[in-house]
Amino acid sequence: MRTFAIALMLAQSGAAAAQDAAPEPQTEVEEQIVVIGERMHEWSGGLAKVDGKLTCRTKKSSGDEMVDAIRCGAMLTCMGELAPQIDEVMASDIARKEKQTQVQAIAEGAVPCMDAYHKTAVMRLAQSRAGKL
């Protein structure tokens, strides 16, 4: 009987610990971050040069102008710094496939910048939408 009582106490303390460890509900900011992230995945677009100026073109909108602006802003800011290198490759006499390879390698260098831009901009937008700014 005593063994049963000890087992019951252990089971109850384990259940209490599980309840204590239950995740807290998401905050409004966290909920907004999730929504914004989902919308960001809907967006597609790219950069182009128009009259010598780097511009962002949205092929498929996220349905949220602010999210679209974050995506374009990240690319313009981070890839803009690399535009002279890309222009140099594109103006060279190397084969088209090699140009693509070199431009891709240059573009990969912008990924950390774009990740940081997205993180900061999404947090600001989420805070604003949750009324925290």
Side-chain angles (χ1 to χ4, degrees):
M1 182 73 164
R2 184 172 180 185
T3 305
F4 176 76
I6 292 171
L8 182 60
M9 286 183 354
L10 288 173
Q12 289 173 342
S13 67
Q19 287 175 346
D20 291 342
E24 293 184 27
Q26 286 187 323
T27 66
E28 291 176 51
V29 172
E30 291 168 334
E31 289 172 4
Q32 285 297 320
I33 290 170
V34 170
V35 170
I36 293 165
E38 289 169 353
R39 290 182 181 157
M40 286 181 82
H41 289 302
E42 296 294 319
W43 185 90
S44 68
L47 298 177
K49 280 240 175 156
V50 176
D51 297 327
K53 185 177 177 186
L54 196 60
T55 60
C56 180
R57 292 190 174 166
T58 297
K59 293 179 186 173
K60 181 183 175 203
S61 173
S62 67
D64 184 324
E65 289 180 10
M66 295 302 292
V67 171
D68 294 354
I70 289 171
R71 296 296 264 176
C72 282
M75 289 195 312
L76 289 169
T77 299
C78 300
M79 292 296 292
E81 298 171 3
L82 302 173
Q85 293 174 336
I86 293 171
D87 290 344
E88 186 178 316
V89 170
M90 295 307 288
S92 69
D93 291 334
I94 59 177
R96 182 178 176 184
K97 190 167 186 146
E98 180 59 25
K99 283 182 184 183
Q100 289 174 337
T101 300
Q102 288 186 22
V103 168
Q104 181 64 34
I106 293 168
E108 286 173 9
V111 171
C113 173
M114 289 193 293
D115 287 345
Y117 186 104
H118 284 135
K119 183 177 180 179
T120 300
V122 167
M123 179 56 78
R124 284 187 191 146
L125 180 59
Q127 289 172 332
S128 174
R129 289 184 174 175
K132 304 295 181 185
L133 280 181

